């Protein structure tokens, strides 16, 4: 670089303010992430044990049993490798494990994610090349008509046609289980998009009563979040942390661990992270 | 755990500014840069023992930031319209007192570096602005030292011809 340009780039560097480091809040979130990893690891152990015990109980005293995989509860948890279940109420689908939870801004997914749209009062442009599943309790209003689809777990399913547009392409479909108030709006971009949508549709399942999903409570108070979690059959642990004095944060419920949409054994513990003002 | 927290907190306080600035120079807005830095630091916290044991912890953390930028921010191209937004997992830091100057500065940075690839920008930031050694820069980018030298040389040549930097120079006292 010539001498003429060096001061300019360095001055731009020095002029740029970075804001105060949110040390305490960052530490709180980082600790939460570590606990989440440990909780998921222990949940996997619990789930494996529960399935194992459930299998043993199912076949106990049935020497001539040929039930096998017709036990829809166990079959529903047969998650494909590299995928995880995500859902609402007692319905779930499988998404790639690498997808984020609720990585959306102003109801626009910003990376591959499952998310729960809610009225946030803001707008933004869409982000290209992102795949997502929007999960709602209400039936989405779409241009295409709904038709009856193959049932899931004995429950009726409605769905739109799978459509693909553009060179990328982008393939979309909406489907749901009306009696369970569970709807999934799938949008997949890139190679294999059509197959991916079909796979997600096929993975639609009714979660057995031994399991539940972490509910989404948009902008809710701690009391509302606690109530929703308990109604879902989950135990609640509340963790408080403080907004740093130099930070710009909004007190209230920040997140749950595991995040909303996660499928868990009933009576599992969920941590609610609360920022105090 | 207590030692890790204290060590991590001290590191964040010391390196926050350089990490956010680096993210801006990689192409983020200031808000995205703060968000990206938080994401990178949280990843580092989970693997903090590895950071502490690294030959150069700074290189390790810069590499995590660069990887986060590559993995998480490949397609972001829009900005929110201000309004009611969800509570962030980690709160944003204070904005600059003068939002207009901040926007002009970040815009100038992005225009000046627009012709450089993200790899070239990373080399300019690490080697030229953060003054890391060639080896430390190579470690952060996971490339050979020779690649660092050639990328930096080409990047500086392109910057030397940059009209945007010429314009900026004209505005500075």
């Amino acid at each position: 670089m010539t001498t003429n340009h060096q001061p300019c780039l360095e001055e731009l560097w020095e002029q740029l303010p970075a804001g105060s480091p949110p040390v305490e809040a960052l530490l709180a979130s980082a600790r939460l992430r570590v606990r989440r990893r440990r909780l998921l690891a222990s949940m996997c152990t619990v789930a494996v044990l529960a399935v194992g015990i459930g299998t043993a109980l199912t076949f106990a005293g049935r020497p001539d049993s040929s039930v096998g995989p017709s036990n829809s509860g166990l079959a529903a948890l047969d998650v494909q490798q590299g995928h995880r279940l995500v859902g609402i109420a007692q319905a779930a689908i499988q998404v790639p494990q690498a997808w984020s939870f609720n990585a959306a801004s102003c109801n626009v997914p910003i990376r591959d994610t499952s998310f729960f749209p809610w009225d946030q009062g803001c707008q933004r442009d869409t982000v290209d090349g992102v795949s997502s599943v929007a999960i709602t309790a209400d039936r989405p209003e779409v241009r295409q008509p709904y038709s009856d689809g193959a049932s899931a777990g004995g429950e009726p399913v409605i769905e739109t046609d799978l459509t693909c547009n553009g060179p990328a392409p982008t393939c979309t479909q909406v489907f749901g289980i009306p009696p369970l108030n569970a709807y999934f709006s799938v949008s997949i971009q890139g190679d294999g998009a059509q197959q991916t949508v079909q796979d997600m549709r096929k993975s639609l399942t009714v979660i057995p009563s031994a399991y539940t999903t972490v509910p989404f409570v948009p902008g809710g108070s701690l009391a509302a979040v606690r109530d929703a979690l308990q109604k879902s059959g989950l135990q609640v642990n509340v963790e408080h942390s403080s907004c740093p004095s130099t930070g710009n944060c909004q007190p209230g419920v920040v997140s749950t661990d595991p995040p909303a949409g996660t499928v868990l054994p009933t009576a599992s513990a969920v941590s609610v992270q609360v920022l105090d003002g | 755990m207590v030692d890790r927290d204290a060590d991590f907190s001290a590191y964040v306080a010391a390196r926050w500014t350089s990490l956010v600035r680096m993210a801006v120079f990689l192409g983020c807005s200031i808000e995205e840069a703060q968000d990206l830095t938080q994401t990178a630091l949280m990843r580092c916290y989970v693997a903090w023992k590895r950071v502490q044991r690294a030959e150069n912890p700074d290189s390790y953390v810069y590499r995590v930031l660069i990887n986060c930028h590559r993995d998480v921010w490949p397609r972001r191209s829009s900005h929110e319209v201000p309004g009611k937004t969800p509570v962030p997992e980690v709160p944003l830091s204070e904005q600059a007192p003068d939002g207009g100057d901040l926007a002009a500065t970040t815009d100038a940075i992005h225009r000046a570096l627009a012709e450089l690839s993200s790899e070239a920008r990373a080399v300019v930031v690490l080697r030229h602005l953060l003054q890391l050694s060639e080896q430390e820069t190579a470690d952060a980018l996971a490339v050979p030292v020779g690649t660092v030298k050639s990328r930096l040389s080409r990047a500086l040549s392109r910057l030397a011809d940059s009209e945007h930097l010429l314009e900026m120079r004209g505005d500075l006292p």
Side-chain angles (χ1 to χ4, degrees):
Chain A
M1 177 179 276
T2 64
T3 307
N4 284 340
H5 298 288
Q6 280 180 351
C8 189
L9 203 58
E10 286 165 353
E11 285 185 17
L12 288 173
W13 175 268
E14 291 300 328
Q15 279 172 14
L16 191 63
S20 302
V23 177
E24 288 180 29
L26 187 56
L27 198 53
S29 293
R31 283 196 210 122
L32 198 60
R33 178 170 285 206
V34 169
R35 271 195 292 273
R36 176 187 304 175
R37 285 182 141 199
R38 288 185 191 146
L39 183 62
L40 280 175
S42 61
M43 270 167 32
C44 285
T45 306
V46 168
V48 166
L49 285 174
V51 169
I53 291 169
T55 307
L57 289 175
T58 299
F59 290 99
R62 290 187 179 182
D64 300 321
S65 170
S66 59
V67 173
S70 66
N71 184 323
S72 62
L74 298 178
L77 292 178
D78 183 19
V79 182
Q80 196 182 349
Q81 191 174 10
H83 289 70
R84 59 177 165 79
L85 282 171
V86 63
I88 184 171
Q90 292 303 121
I93 65 170
Q94 295 189 28
V95 301
Q97 208 150 32
W99 277 26
S100 300
F101 281 96
N102 303 311
S105 174
C106 301
N107 291 331
V108 173
I110 58 176
R111 47 186 180 268
D112 295 346
T113 186
S114 58
F115 72 104
F116 294 83
W118 61 290
D119 182 17
Q120 301 172 47
C122 63
Q123 297 176 7
R124 65 168 292 155
D125 293 335
T126 57
V127 177
D128 293 332
V130 168
S131 298
S132 66
V133 170
I135 306 172
T136 54
D138 299 322
R139 183 166 72 176
E141 292 179 11
V142 293
R143 285 188 205 148
Q144 290 184 61
Y146 286 95
S147 58
D148 293 335
S151 65
E155 297 285 353
V157 172
I158 59 170
E159 62 187 17
T160 63
D161 287 338
L162 191 163
T163 57
C164 296
N165 297 300
T170 302
C171 296
T172 60
Q173 189 180 25
V174 182
F175 48 83
I177 304 177
L180 298 183
N181 296 318
Y183 298 88
F184 301 86
S185 302
V186 177
S187 173
I188 305 294
Q189 296 199 16
D191 294 337
Q194 183 171 344
Q195 185 62 53
T196 302
V197 176
Q198 288 171 340
D199 290 343
M200 285 189 180
R201 168 62 185 94
K202 275 188 210 158
S203 75
L204 176 64
T205 190
V206 175
I207 303 168
S209 58
Y211 295 82
T212 185
T213 53
V214 178
F216 177 69
V217 185
S221 63
L222 175 58
V225 172
R226 191 199 302 261
D227 186 53
L229 286 167
Q230 288 172 341
K231 278 184 180 158
S232 297
L234 296 164
Q235 295 182 36
V236 181
N237 294 330
V238 180
E239 298 186 358
H240 292 269
S241 55
S242 304
C243 290
S245 56
T246 55
N248 177 23
C249 67
Q250 300 178 29
V253 175
V254 176
S255 60
T256 62
D257 176 15
T262 307
V263 176
L264 293 176
T266 308
S268 296
V270 173
S271 293
V272 180
Q273 184 70 18
V274 178
L275 270 177
D276 297 321
Chain B
M1 175 73 127
V2 173
D3 287 341
R4 167 164 70 168
D5 287 359
D7 202 33
F8 177 77
S9 299
Y11 187 90
V12 169
R15 293 288 183 271
W16 173 260
T17 298
S18 58
L19 288 168
V20 170
R21 285 174 176 170
M22 178 169 186
V24 173
F25 272 67
L26 287 176
C28 298
S29 66
I30 191 68
E31 293 86 1
E32 289 169 346
Q34 291 167 338
D35 202 11
L36 180 71
T37 302
Q38 289 163 4
T39 300
L41 286 169
M42 281 202 284
R43 284 192 189 180
C44 290
Y45 179 86
V46 175
W48 195 244
K49 276 188 190 165
R50 224 178 295 159
V51 175
Q52 289 174 314
R53 280 195 228 120
E55 201 171 316
N56 189 310
D58 282 340
S59 293
Y60 187 103
V61 175
Y62 290 136
R63 179 148 37 128
V64 171
L65 183 80
I66 291 167
N67 288 342
C68 281
H69 180 261
R70 183 196 62 216
D71 296 342
V72 177
W73 261 260
R75 295 172 290 261
R76 294 199 68 171
S77 56
S78 54
H79 298 275
E80 292 178 19
V81 170
K84 186 179 168 191
T85 55
V87 176
E89 190 176 47
V90 178
L92 295 173
S93 302
E94 281 182 324
Q95 298 294 323
D98 187 336
D101 283 351
L102 175 61
T105 302
T106 52
D107 183 58
I109 292 166
H110 294 158
R111 282 188 290 122
L113 299 177
E115 292 177 17
L116 299 184
S117 66
S118 57
E119 291 84 5
R121 292 189 199 196
V123 167
V124 169
V125 170
L126 292 172
R127 182 82 181 100
H128 185 71
L129 294 168
L130 286 170
Q131 309 267 300
L132 298 191
S133 69
E134 285 174 346
Q135 187 59 57
E136 289 167 341
T137 303
D139 289 343
L141 298 175
V143 298
V145 170
T147 303
V148 168
K149 291 181 185 176
S150 58
R151 276 187 194 167
L152 183 63
S153 170
R154 282 198 296 270
L156 296 182
S157 287
R158 295 199 79 162
L159 287 172
D161 296 331
S162 169
E163 290 179 1
H164 298 299
L165 283 176
L166 288 170
E167 286 169 10
M168 267 302 296
R169 198 184 69 228
D171 293 334
L172 293 171

